[in-house]
Amino acid sequence: MNHLKDEFIRAWERIQQARYIVIVTHINPDADTLSSALALSNLFAEHNINHKVYNSSKSLPTNVNFLHRYDKITNQLPQSFDLAINVDCGSLSRFGFELDKKIDLINIDHHISNDNFGTINIVDAQKASTAELVYFLFKFNNLKISKYSAQCIYTGIYDDSLSFSTQRCDAQTFATVEDLITCGADTGWIAQQLRRRDSLAKYRVLPKVLNSLELFNEGKIAVIHLDPLWLKETGATPSDCEVALDMILNIAVVNIAIFLRQSKNHVRVSLRSKNGVDVSHIANHFNGGGHTMAAGCKIKYRFK
């Protein structure tokens, strides 16, 4: 991480100069974007730095609602701010709004598709999560990591690395985790909060999603879809269905798993892979983005 040390220092200097900051999390938020933002939010609150955590969605995934300051996340963009910090946004299109080009932007991200669109860019596609980069913002600026921020950072790392199972987890990842535990992160409790609080609706909608499974190319490509009607029937949310994608990727013969979700005038496509297949090329073809083994895009489609 030493190659980004100057950027981490510049970022903290700019943060201290700001009058009001908006921390931007991406559309269709996951644990990494929200926990990274909340780690910063806790830091800023401890330093009396004026800020808001923004997400454009009307509803948020509840699996991270145990994190401190989760209840402070808003979908109302402040009318005035002089600095924006995006976390885990591979492109400007993931903001959910158009940022004024005159406003300074600190870009913190780990997507390979990120083209350094910020005023200050802290981007490293080798990291397993954006939360790891947030950790180094603390470390390179000698900032104390409180228990609240430690738990946020650990949550992002744990979830985005699929419980430390992705190839980008390395010795530095585990050294970071060790330090976070020292700072107060309760790893067992966090795992329980993330993995053991499912809704009943989730188990009513998952069979419907899994029953949509179709296999192509001798089973190497698996496709599932979500019918909006199923959400109405079960009371489930789209985030309740996310696990289905990893479930079908676990099928031995499958190398590429695809999840299709209808949303107004487009289809949201989520892609996962294993055995060295790079699905980011597929997503990039449709102006999407992501990682080698996890990517996504939107395809315009007029539904009847």
Side-chain angles (χ1 to χ4, degrees), residues 81-124:
F81 53 94
D82 60 312
L83 176 63
I85 305 173
N86 68 272
V87 283
D88 203 42
C89 300
S91 66
L92 290 166
S93 64
R94 299 285 285 162
F95 285 22
F97 71 97
E98 188 171 340
L99 181 68
D100 188 332
K101 294 180 180 179
K102 296 179 182 178
I103 295 176
D104 284 347
L105 175 64
I106 298 175
N107 173 26
I108 307 177
D109 185 42
H110 73 133
H111 289 89
I112 195 170
S113 56
N114 194 300
D115 63 0
N116 293 319
F117 50 77
T119 311
I120 298 173
N121 295 289
I122 299 172
V123 179
D124 188 343

Side-chain angles (χ1 to χ4, degrees), residues 64-304:
V64 293
N65 64 5
F66 62 94
L67 294 175
H68 195 243
R69 297 186 64 83
Y70 172 92
D71 60 324
K72 305 295 185 183
I73 302 172
T74 179
N75 62 3
Q76 301 297 312
L77 191 67
Q79 292 184 347
S80 178
F81 53 94
D82 60 312
L83 176 63
I85 305 173
N86 68 272
V87 283
D88 203 42
C89 300
S91 66
L92 290 166
S93 64
R94 299 285 285 162
F95 285 22
F97 71 97
E98 188 171 340
L99 181 68
D100 188 332
K101 294 180 180 179
K102 296 179 182 178
I103 295 176
D104 284 347
L105 175 64
I106 298 175
N107 173 26
I108 307 177
D109 185 42
H110 73 133
H111 289 89
I112 195 170
S113 56
N114 194 300
D115 63 0
N116 293 319
F117 50 77
T119 311
I120 298 173
N121 295 289
I122 299 172
V123 179
D124 188 343
Q126 299 304 311
K127 288 300 172 188
S129 65
T130 294
E132 282 189 76
L133 293 169
V134 171
Y135 168 83
F136 284 103
L137 177 68
F138 283 80
K139 300 306 287 186
F140 280 124
N141 290 288
N142 297 313
L143 298 168
K144 179 183 177 182
I145 303 177
S146 68
K147 175 182 177 180
Y148 292 137
S149 288
Q151 296 197 145
C152 292
I153 296 170
Y154 178 85
T155 297
I157 296 172
Y158 179 83
D159 192 83
D160 225 42
S161 68
L162 304 179
S163 307
F164 310 109
S165 65
T166 59
Q167 292 178 337
R168 285 181 294 178
C169 284
D170 55 17
Q172 182 61 69
T173 304
F174 290 101
T176 296
V177 167
E178 182 180 18
D179 190 31
L180 293 172
I181 293 171
T182 301
C183 293
D186 185 337
T187 59
W189 178 75
I190 291 171
Q192 289 290 322
Q193 296 299 307
L194 281 173
R195 306 293 187 225
R196 297 290 184 268
R197 296 190 301 144
D198 291 338
S199 67
L200 178 59
K202 176 176 179 176
Y203 292 90
R204 296 195 187 282
V205 75
L206 277 177
K208 297 176 182 291
V209 175
L210 292 173
N211 195 46
S212 73
L213 175 65
E214 295 184 77
L215 297 174
F216 302 91
N217 193 24
E218 298 180 338
K220 294 178 182 178
I221 301 173
V223 181
I224 53 176
H225 73 268
L226 172 62
D227 188 323
L229 178 62
W230 299 340
L231 298 179
K232 294 180 180 179
E233 291 174 344
T234 62
T237 64
S239 61
D240 286 325
C241 310
E242 297 286 349
V243 67
L245 186 57
D246 290 319
M247 291 173 71
I248 63 171
L249 187 61
N250 287 339
I251 300 172
V253 70
V254 172
N255 284 334
I256 299 175
I258 304 172
F259 191 10
L260 307 176
R261 278 156 287 187
Q262 176 184 337
S263 179
K264 294 183 180 179
N265 62 344
H266 67 267
V267 175
R268 182 183 168 201
V269 183
S270 295
L271 303 148
R272 298 290 184 272
S273 69
K274 63 187 182 188
N275 297 328
V277 179
D278 186 350
V279 290
S280 68
H281 293 305
I282 302 172
N284 290 336
H285 180 77
F286 293 99
N287 298 315
H291 311 295
T292 301
M293 296 186 295
C297 59
K298 291 192 295 186
I299 299 175
K300 289 184 179 180
Y301 186 84
R302 186 180 296 276
F303 293 92
K304 296 181 181 180

